[in-house]
Amino acid sequence: MNATIVDVLIENIKTDQSLLEQTEAQIETAKENKKNVVDRLKDYRRDITVLLKYADDEQRKRIEELGFDFSESERGLNPVASLVMDIIMKAKDNQLTNEQLYEAYVKSFKNKGDAFNYTEFNIKCRSLFNTQRLLRKKGTDPKSSRDDIVSLNGRVLPKEDDTATSKVENAKKSNSNAKKPAHEK
């Protein structure tokens, strides 16, 4: 049987349609594989941002060679997180409820409309908890974050005031005088 040009064209179309289906299936599999790898890399990035403070200089260098850039986390915070850190540092015992923290944040604006809403505010502050600069203790209402206690991780060293400094200096002087012979005093 002699195949006509139309028969050849029909066979070519069938073959290419079959190849297209196989290729699309391979593409979908590759997309899924890519998504899985990207998700793992995101998880690694989150792990590294938390654990970076334990890395020595050599490990930091190797991490940066892998393409992870932590200059922003090293350099500073987003403006909302930076403001929140200032508010917490000035708060009594360096802690507030999440609602008090948000209210203090809003009060820092002349035009209250410039402040983010409560949800966006919490999203902007998330880096403070991820890097463990701040800690969150769940409040009494499990469905709301407003009464959660937000506190500074670690303690703030008290600033030496002039009276404490002068007491230390006076103690040093009296100790040095006590060691001198009586005729030198």
Side-chain angles (χ1 to χ4, degrees), residues 16-44:
D16 283 347
Q17 284 177 335
S18 176
L19 284 173
L20 180 61
E21 287 176 19
Q22 292 172 2
T23 304
E24 284 178 345
Q26 290 172 343
I27 289 171
E28 287 303 313
T29 302
K31 282 182 180 178
E32 186 62 32
N33 290 341
K34 179 183 178 183
K35 180 186 176 302
N36 291 337
V37 171
V38 167
D39 289 346
R40 285 197 310 265
L41 286 170
K42 285 179 184 176
D43 290 341
Y44 297 148

Side-chain angles (χ1 to χ4, degrees), residues 81-99:
S82 184
L83 180 58
V84 165
M85 280 301 291
D86 290 341
I87 292 168
I88 284 287
M89 294 297 286
K90 293 174 185 170
K92 183 178 187 273
D93 297 327
N94 303 112
Q95 70 179 22
L96 294 167
T97 65
N98 205 42
E99 174 120 25

Side-chain angles (χ1 to χ4, degrees), residues 67-117:
F68 291 90
D69 179 24
F70 297 101
S71 56
E72 180 181 303
S73 62
E74 293 286 314
R75 187 177 63 236
L77 304 167
N78 69 57
V80 174
S82 184
L83 180 58
V84 165
M85 280 301 291
D86 290 341
I87 292 168
I88 284 287
M89 294 297 286
K90 293 174 185 170
K92 183 178 187 273
D93 297 327
N94 303 112
Q95 70 179 22
L96 294 167
T97 65
N98 205 42
E99 174 120 25
Q100 291 169 329
L101 187 59
Y102 178 70
E103 289 171 0
Y105 159 76
V106 171
K107 286 178 186 173
S108 70
F109 289 90
K110 289 179 184 174
N111 179 6
K112 306 298 183 214
D114 292 341
F116 287 104
N117 68 34

